[in-house]
Each structure stands twice: as C-alpha cells, then as structure tokens.
Coordinates of all heavy atoms in Angstrom, one line a residue:
L274 N 0.8 -1.2 0.0 CA 0.0 0.0 0.0 C 0.9 1.3 0.0 O 1.9 1.3 0.6 CB -0.9 0.0 1.2 CG -1.9 -1.2 1.3 CD1 -2.8 -1.1 2.5 CD2 -2.8 -1.3 0.0
A275 N 0.4 2.3 -0.7 CA 1.3 3.4 -1.0 C 1.7 4.1 0.3 O 2.9 4.6 0.4 CB 0.5 4.4 -1.9
S276 N 0.8 4.4 1.3 CA 1.1 5.1 2.4 C 0.1 4.9 3.5 O -1.0 4.3 3.3 CB 1.1 6.7 2.1 OG -0.2 7.0 1.8
P277 N 0.4 5.3 4.8 CA -0.6 5.1 5.8 C -1.9 5.8 5.5 O -3.0 5.3 5.7 CB 0.0 5.8 7.1 CG 1.5 5.6 6.8 CD 1.7 5.8 5.3
E278 N -1.8 7.1 4.8 CA -3.0 7.7 4.5 C -3.9 6.9 3.5 O -5.1 6.8 3.6 CB -2.7 9.1 3.9 CG -2.1 10.1 4.8 CD -0.6 10.0 5.0 OE1 -0.1 8.9 4.4 OE2 0.0 10.9 5.5
S279 N -3.1 6.4 2.5 CA -3.8 5.6 1.4 C -4.4 4.3 2.1 O -5.5 3.9 1.6 CB -2.8 5.2 0.3 OG -3.4 4.4 -0.6
A280 N -3.8 3.8 3.0 CA -4.3 2.5 3.6 C -5.5 2.7 4.4 O -6.5 2.0 4.2 CB -3.2 1.9 4.6
I281 N -5.6 3.8 5.2 CA -6.7 4.1 6.0 C -7.9 4.5 5.1 O -9.0 4.1 5.3 CB -6.5 5.1 7.1 CG1 -7.5 5.0 8.2 CG2 -6.3 6.5 6.6 CD1 -7.6 3.8 9.0
L282 N -7.6 5.3 4.1 CA -8.7 5.8 3.2 C -9.3 4.7 2.4 O -10.5 4.6 2.2 CB -8.2 7.0 2.3 CG -9.2 7.7 1.5 CD1 -10.3 8.2 2.3 CD2 -8.5 8.8 0.7
S283 N -8.4 3.8 1.9 CA -8.8 2.7 1.1 C -9.7 1.8 1.9 O -10.7 1.2 1.5 CB -7.6 1.9 0.5 OG -6.8 2.7 -0.3
A284 N -9.3 1.6 3.2 CA -10.1 0.7 4.1 C -11.5 1.3 4.3 O -12.5 0.6 4.4 CB -9.3 0.5 5.4
V285 N -11.6 2.6 4.5 CA -12.8 3.2 4.8 C -13.8 3.1 3.6 O -14.9 2.8 3.7 CB -12.7 4.7 5.2 CG1 -14.0 5.4 5.2 CG2 -12.0 4.8 6.5
I286 N -13.1 3.3 2.4 CA -13.9 3.2 1.1 C -14.4 1.8 1.0 O -15.6 1.5 0.6 CB -13.1 3.8 -0.1 CG1 -12.8 5.2 0.1 CG2 -13.9 3.4 -1.4 CD1 -11.9 5.8 -1.0
F287 N -13.5 0.9 1.2 CA -13.8 -0.6 1.0 C -14.9 -1.0 2.0 O -15.9 -1.7 1.6 CB -12.6 -1.5 1.2 CG -12.9 -2.9 1.2 CD1 -13.1 -3.6 0.0 CD2 -13.1 -3.6 2.4 CE1 -13.4 -5.0 0.0 CE2 -13.4 -4.9 2.4 CZ -13.5 -5.6 1.2
N288 N -14.8 -0.4 3.2 CA -15.8 -0.8 4.2 C -17.2 -0.3 3.8 O -18.2 -1.0 4.1 CB -15.4 -0.1 5.6 CG -16.2 -0.6 6.7 OD1 -16.0 -1.8 7.0 ND2 -17.0 0.2 7.4
A289 N -17.3 0.8 3.1 CA -18.6 1.2 2.6 C -19.1 0.4 1.4 O -20.2 0.0 1.3 CB -18.5 2.7 2.3
L290 N -18.1 0.2 0.5 CA -18.5 -0.5 -0.8 C -18.9 -2.0 -0.5 O -19.7 -2.5 -1.2 CB -17.4 -0.4 -1.8 CG -17.0 1.0 -2.3 CD1 -15.8 0.9 -3.3 CD2 -18.3 1.6 -3.0
I291 N -18.2 -2.6 0.4 CA -18.6 -4.0 0.7 C -20.0 -4.2 1.2 O -20.6 -5.2 0.9 CB -17.5 -4.7 1.6 CG1 -17.6 -6.2 1.6 CG2 -17.7 -4.2 3.1 CD1 -17.3 -6.8 0.2
I292 N -20.4 -3.2 2.0 CA -21.8 -3.3 2.5 C -22.8 -3.2 1.3 O -23.7 -4.0 1.1 CB -22.1 -2.2 3.5 CG1 -21.2 -2.4 4.8 CG2 -23.6 -2.1 3.8 CD1 -21.4 -1.3 5.8
V293 N -22.5 -2.3 0.4 CA -23.4 -2.1 -0.8 C -23.3 -3.4 -1.7 O -24.3 -3.9 -2.2 CB -22.9 -0.9 -1.6 CG1 -23.7 -0.8 -2.9 CG2 -23.1 0.4 -0.8
A294 N -22.1 -4.0 -1.8 CA -21.9 -5.1 -2.7 C -22.7 -6.3 -2.1 O -23.1 -7.2 -2.9 CB -20.4 -5.5 -2.8
L295 N -22.8 -6.4 -0.8 CA -23.4 -7.6 -0.2 C -24.9 -7.4 0.0 O -25.6 -8.4 0.3 CB -22.8 -7.8 1.3 CG -21.4 -8.4 1.3 CD1 -20.9 -8.5 2.7 CD2 -21.3 -9.7 0.6
V296 N -25.5 -6.3 -0.3 CA -26.9 -6.1 -0.1 C -27.7 -7.0 -1.0 O -28.7 -7.6 -0.6 CB -27.3 -4.6 -0.4 CG1 -28.8 -4.5 -0.6 CG2 -26.9 -3.7 0.8
P297 N -27.4 -7.2 -2.3 CA -28.1 -8.2 -3.1 C -28.2 -9.6 -2.5 O -29.2 -10.2 -2.6 CB -27.3 -8.2 -4.5 CG -26.7 -6.8 -4.5 CD -26.3 -6.5 -3.1
L298 N -27.0 -10.0 -2.0 CA -27.0 -11.4 -1.3 C -27.9 -11.4 -0.1 O -28.7 -12.3 0.1 CB -25.6 -11.7 -0.9 CG -25.5 -13.1 -0.2 CD1 -26.0 -14.2 -1.1 CD2 -24.0 -13.3 0.2
A299 N -27.9 -10.3 0.7 CA -28.8 -10.2 1.8 C -30.2 -10.2 1.4 O -31.1 -10.9 2.1 CB -28.5 -9.0 2.6
L300 N -30.6 -9.6 0.3 CA -32.0 -9.5 -0.2 C -32.4 -10.9 -0.8 O -33.5 -11.3 -0.6 CB -32.2 -8.4 -1.2 CG -32.0 -7.0 -0.6 CD1 -32.1 -6.0 -1.8 CD2 -32.9 -6.7 0.5
R301 N -31.5 -11.5 -1.5 CA -31.8 -12.7 -2.2 C -31.9 -13.9 -1.2 O -32.7 -14.8 -1.3 CB -30.8 -13.0 -3.3 CG -31.1 -14.3 -4.1 CD -30.2 -14.4 -5.3 NE -28.8 -14.6 -4.8 CZ -27.8 -13.8 -4.9 NH1 -28.0 -12.6 -5.4 NH2 -26.6 -14.1 -4.4
G302 N -30.9 -13.8 -0.2 CA -30.8 -14.9 0.8 C -30.1 -16.1 0.3 O -29.9 -16.4 -0.9
V303 N -29.4 -16.7 1.3 CA -28.7 -18.0 1.0 C -29.8 -19.1 0.9 O -30.6 -19.2 1.8 CB -27.7 -18.3 2.1 CG1 -27.0 -19.6 1.8 CG2 -26.7 -17.1 2.1
R304 N -29.7 -20.0 0.0 CA -30.7 -21.0 -0.2 C -30.7 -22.0 1.0 O -29.7 -22.4 1.5 CB -30.4 -21.9 -1.5 CG -31.5 -22.8 -1.9 CD -31.2 -23.4 -3.3 NE -30.0 -24.2 -3.4 CZ -30.0 -25.5 -3.2 NH1 -31.1 -26.1 -2.9 NH2 -28.8 -26.1 -3.3

C-alpha cells in the first residue's frame, strides 16, 4: 500500500463499498 493515508482511506472506502456489494445477497438470501 502506498502510504498510511492511502491505507486508511482505502479501508474506509472498501468498508462502505462491501456493504453495498453484499446487499443483493442479503436480499436474495442463501438457499
């Protein structure tokens, strides 16, 4: 990772995006 700033900012962005990415699975449900 490029720098501490990049690491923390990337983690925050990923933390938000992963929730959005998992919403379809949450709505569809595991069989």
Side-chain angles (χ1 to χ4, degrees):
L274 299 179
S276 66
E278 293 88 345
S279 174
I281 197 69
L282 185 56
S283 299
V285 170
I286 295 173
F287 174 82
N288 196 62
L290 293 180
I291 196 61
I292 295 176
V293 176
L295 290 175
V296 165
L298 177 60
L300 295 177
R301 184 176 65 251
V303 178
R304 188 168 65 92

